[in-house]
Amino acid sequence: MTADPTLREPVIGLIGGSGLYDIDGLEEREWRRVDTPWGEPSDELLFGRLAGVRCVFLPRHGRGHRTPPSALNYRANIDALKRSGVTEIISLSAVGSLREDLAPGHFVIVDQFIDRTFAREKSFFGPGCVAHVSVAHPVCPRLGDALEAAARGLSLPVTRGGTYLVMEGPQFSTKAESLLYRSWGCSVIGMTNMPEAKLAREAELCYATVAMVTDFDCWHPDHDAVTVDQVVKVLFSNADNARSLVKAVIPALGVPRGPCPAGCDRALEYAVITAPEKRDPALVAKLDVVAGRVLNAA
Ligand SMILES: CSC[C@H]1O[C@H](OP(=O)(O)O)[C@H](O)[C@@H]1O
Ligand SMILES: Nc1ncnc2[nH]cnc12
């Protein structure tokens, strides 16, 4: 407990992408099933402490990598993390590079996304309770600062800022698509960070991604096509660096925190537009953990 009532003990949520199905070094570790009104999360969640700081880890594709990007239950994953007490989420994701200077092994702390996904549930809200949150700045700068400082402290090759193009997949891009995304100024490409980042914002959770480059996608003259074996080779060394990064950043994030300076934890303040008497009680009940702060306010 902290003496100052305006400060909260942070609980760090970690979403592990391809190649990251567990987190070592956790004390008091325990895998626990978490039920949600949105269905099943990708797997049980791993609870524990790193350097005394409470952490909750979720392997995005499940242990053994069972679920492809389009079939992930992003709503259940974010709800499960929030109902486990998580206050901020660090996503660790494999990506292809769309820039010559971002070679395999490079980490990019992205600050923007272009969402080209089309076959996913993208909101907790809907008929009976309509809300529109801002995702103009989808990444929490406070988390980005902490991740950048930790990565630089470890001398990891890291770039702060960049746009992550989120494609539907599961196939990798055509060369024409890859060239198009480069012409849009995108830095990296992957299949999972949307709607994850949008849902984290709806759930008023700070969110940041460490995009870990595994390949040059197919635009690069020296890399004709992406293959999983090529990706996997880099994935495991990236995963080792990601574990070191997590260990380095957690103590910095573990100090009692006030409100998010960027307002991530108040994203719903003016977002719900449906008149209280017109709201669907069943949907409002489902939204209890995600949006109870604003929906249940007197
Ligand atoms: C195995 S390469 C393709 C796969 O990896 C990335 O997923 P994640 O963000 O969970 O690391 C990419 O988006 C694809 O889903
Ligand atoms: N080139 C690529 N395209 C989409 N997702 C990826 N994940 C890793 N590499 C990727």
Side-chain angles (χ1 to χ4, degrees), residues 62-90:
R63 283 167 285 181
H65 204 123
R66 298 185 308 275
T67 312
S70 308
L72 290 173
N73 190 338
Y74 295 94
R75 294 190 298 187
N77 287 351
I78 297 296
D79 179 295
L81 287 167
K82 185 160 183 185
R83 71 178 56 238
S84 302
V86 160
T87 51
E88 41 242 273
I89 295 178
I90 295 173

